[in-house]
Amino acid sequence: MSLPLYGIDRELARKIAAKYDPERERQAREWIEGVLNEPLPHENFLESLQDGVILCKLVDKVFPGQGKYNTSRLAFKQMENINKFLTAAAKLGCPSVDLFQTIDLYEKKAPGQVVDGIFSFARYAVKYGLDAPLLGPKVSDKHEVHFTPEQLSRCKSVINTHQMGYTKGANQSGIRFGARVEIVGPDPFRKGN
């Protein structure tokens, strides 16, 4: 029996429940079962993950030998298993905003966030080299652009000050809205250039 929620507690519970998507949970379940080549032990998704054993098995698929888990029924041992998964996810590069807190899973407080964490782990594990189908959008690769000094100097000389919010006398730089632009060459708006 749970107590009724009021005020901000009820609002937070409503927002957490709204984030949950049964279709995404189904996709996460199928991905886990496919990677591990075994069905989840419970019909309830969160119950299957609650002791952290399944999560540690996923870690072992990505980082062989590092997914050792404890089968104890003690709460702190199960939370250690969950924490191993979260540590491995961070090591893969999963953004912390995509992951869940140990307590979110263990106490089944944020099922949507747990599913988001599985999606993030899956994307980054595939990028890392796990031979598995992609779950969710592909993680983009870093793309660095390098400009030569000549290219940079050409850009400085063709700045259109009308589009940058130039107003004569607005402030010392002549720019509004916090934009900083270096004007190279004579100022077309200043008399006596």
Side-chain angles (χ1 to χ4, degrees), residues 5-6 8-9 19 24 27-28 36 39 42 67 75 114-115 127 130 140 160 164 170 173 176 178 180 183:
L5 298 174
Y6 298 99
I8 195 165
D9 291 333
K19 191 174 180 184
R24 284 174 54 87
Q27 292 171 1
L36 298 180
H42 302 287
V114 172
V115 171
K127 182 178 180 180
L130 178 66
S140 64
N160 183 338
M164 296 302 293
S173 67
R176 286 199 315 194
R180 294 194 177 267
I183 299 174

Side-chain angles (χ1 to χ4, degrees), residues 97-118:
V97 297
D98 288 350
L99 299 177
F100 53 90
Q101 300 294 313
T102 302
I103 204 76
D104 291 340
L105 172 56
Y106 192 77
E107 292 187 2
K108 303 174 190 164
K109 288 185 173 196
Q113 192 64 39
V114 172
V115 171
D116 288 350
I118 299 297

Side-chain angles (χ1 to χ4, degrees), residues 61-179:
K61 290 289 186 177
V62 178
F63 302 110
Q66 295 184 23
K68 294 183 172 99
Y69 53 88
N70 195 311
T71 57
S72 172
R73 302 305 318 160
L74 295 172
F76 77 94
K77 290 294 185 183
Q78 293 177 350
M79 286 192 264
E80 281 179 2
N81 289 343
I82 296 168
N83 194 50
K84 282 182 187 177
F85 171 81
L86 295 171
T87 301
K91 184 177 176 181
L92 282 173
C94 296
S96 60
V97 297
D98 288 350
L99 299 177
F100 53 90
Q101 300 294 313
T102 302
I103 204 76
D104 291 340
L105 172 56
Y106 192 77
E107 292 187 2
K108 303 174 190 164
K109 288 185 173 196
Q113 192 64 39
V114 172
V115 171
D116 288 350
I118 299 297
F119 266 71
S120 185
F121 181 85
R123 285 192 307 271
Y124 282 88
V126 168
K127 182 178 180 180
Y128 184 78
L130 178 66
D131 184 22
L134 188 62
L135 183 61
K138 180 182 180 235
V139 177
S140 64
D141 294 324
K142 186 175 182 178
H143 178 73
E144 289 188 27
V145 178
H146 300 281
F147 295 101
T148 65
E150 180 185 297
Q151 290 170 318
L152 290 172
S153 67
R154 271 191 279 149
C155 289
K156 287 181 181 177
S157 65
V158 294
I159 293 174
N160 183 338
T161 56
H162 290 293
Q163 293 178 351
M164 296 302 293
Y166 183 88
T167 58
K168 186 174 182 180
N171 57 29
Q172 282 187 326
S173 67
I175 307 297
R176 286 199 315 194
F177 309 117

